[in-house]
């Protein structure tokens, strides 16, 4: 089955620094990847859609200059949280879409727990 | 109205019983529907997908879809303690974006 690798699984950073999270599709090519954020006991909220070779599409209310997304290849998308602040602490999860994912489901990465101190 | 609504939990069932989870969606153009299981601190894992009206069974899990009523459900038969998790209903429209419900937390009592 489709495997999506996300790294790092946990990161603690100081307020004001930037953090990069990687999402890789290991056994398939993903023209589209999605980035979600999940706060404790809340559901997943879509932040942005990452398209290979083009600019990401951000959901309303998500600051594109703060959450930089790069989808440079068919197997790698990165999310950079710039000038992180404590309110950015959250669980960030990526997912990748194979061609059939529309009907058969998307695979999620293992998630990144970001803590900003 | 939220795009995807799930029955409020938490849901507690004894081991061996059937757990029934419900989900309604607001957008009639929705085309495919998914149930994900999420353990605490982990990312969601896909349990079932369904896109045609009717039932779809996979092991102890059965998904039911009724597009006329804009309703999708998940039954977990012979519930096990390992089924204790939050179950997320997700709906796909025509743009490959998933909309998630708030989730229903299930606890299976041994």
């Amino acid at each position: 089955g489709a495997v999506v690798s996300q790294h790092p699984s946990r990161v603690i950073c100081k307020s004001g620094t930037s953090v990069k999270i990687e999402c890789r599709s290991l056994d398939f090519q993903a023209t589209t990847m999605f980035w979600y954020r999940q706060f404790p006991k809340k559901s997943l909220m879509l932040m942005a859609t990452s398209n290979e070779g083009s600019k990401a599409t951000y959901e309303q209310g998500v600051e594109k200059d703060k959450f930089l997304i790069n989808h440079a290849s068919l197997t790698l998308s990165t999310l950079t949280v710039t000038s992180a602040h404590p309110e950015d602490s959250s669980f960030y999860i990526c997912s990748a879409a194979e061609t059939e994912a529309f009907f058969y489901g998307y695979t999620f990465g293992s998630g990144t727990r970001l803590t900003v101190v | 109205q939220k795009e995807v609504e799930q029955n409020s939990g938490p849901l507690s069932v004894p081991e061996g019983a059937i757990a029934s989870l419900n989900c309604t969606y607001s957008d009639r153009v929705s085309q495919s529907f998914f149930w994900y299981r999420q353990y605490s601190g982990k990312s969601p894992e896909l349990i079932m997908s369904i896109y045609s009206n009717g039932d779809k069974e996979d092991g102890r899990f059965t998904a039911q879809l009724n597009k006329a009523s804009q309703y999708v459900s998940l039954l977990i038969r012979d519930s096990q303690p390992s089924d204790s998790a939050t179950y997320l209903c997700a709906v796909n429209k025509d743009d490959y974006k998933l909309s998630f419900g708030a989730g229903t937390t299930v606890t299976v009592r041994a």
Side-chain angles (χ1 to χ4, degrees):
Chain A
V3 178
V4 176
S5 173
Q6 188 172 341
H7 181 80
S9 58
R10 288 181 179 272
V11 58
I12 301 174
C13 70
K14 291 185 177 181
S15 186
T17 62
S18 295
V19 173
K20 180 184 284 188
I21 303 169
E22 290 189 351
C23 181
R24 293 180 184 273
S25 56
L26 296 187
D27 51 0
F28 66 98
Q29 293 183 332
T31 54
T32 304
M33 291 184 176
F34 302 92
W35 287 96
Y36 294 84
R37 179 168 54 183
Q38 186 177 36
F39 292 106
K41 300 194 182 298
K42 299 293 184 182
S43 192
L44 279 75
M45 295 301 296
L46 179 65
M47 299 175 65
T49 303
S50 169
N51 299 293
E52 187 268 337
S54 64
K55 291 183 178 180
T57 304
Y58 291 82
E59 295 301 300
Q60 192 172 9
V62 177
E63 300 175 60
K64 59 183 179 181
D65 294 332
K66 182 170 185 61
F67 299 99
L68 301 179
I69 292 173
N70 187 305
H71 194 155
S73 76
L74 287 172
T75 60
L76 173 65
S77 176
T78 60
L79 168 68
T80 301
V81 183
T82 63
S83 186
H85 288 93
E87 58 265 30
D88 298 323
S89 298
S90 187
F91 191 43
Y92 292 86
I93 316 172
C94 70
S95 74
E98 292 184 90
T99 305
E100 302 83 10
F102 188 84
F103 290 106
Y104 300 113
Y106 304 109
T107 302
F108 282 85
S110 56
T112 298
R113 179 81 53 193
L114 171 64
T115 303
V116 184
V117 298
Chain B
Q1 182 186 9
K2 293 181 180 178
E3 285 193 61
V4 182
E5 297 205 52
Q6 296 184 235
N7 52 326
S8 59
L11 179 65
S12 180
V13 298
E15 185 173 358
I18 296 175
S20 177
L21 306 171
N22 302 317
C23 174
T24 58
Y25 57 95
S26 61
D27 196 334
R28 285 194 171 274
V29 303
S30 301
Q31 298 187 37
S32 50
F33 309 85
F34 309 95
W35 285 99
Y36 284 86
R37 177 175 63 198
Q38 186 175 27
Y39 292 113
S40 180
K42 303 294 184 182
S43 67
E45 58 178 316
L46 182 67
I47 297 177
M48 294 283 286
S49 64
I50 188 167
Y51 52 88
S52 298
N53 279 325
D55 295 359
K56 179 180 179 182
E57 185 174 318
D58 184 0
R60 294 186 295 110
F61 300 97
T62 299
Q64 299 172 318
L65 175 62
N66 183 325
K67 290 186 179 181
S69 301
Q70 296 177 231
Y71 171 90
V72 58
S73 67
L74 178 71
L75 297 178
I76 307 173
R77 292 184 301 281
D78 187 23
S79 295
Q80 302 297 309
S82 59
D83 294 327
S84 298
T86 297
Y87 290 81
L88 300 169
C89 173
V91 174
N92 212 345
K93 293 187 284 186
D94 56 359
D95 57 1
Y96 278 76
K97 293 183 183 179
L98 284 182
S99 295
F100 283 88
T104 300
T105 298
V106 174
T107 301
V108 180
R109 310 186 303 271

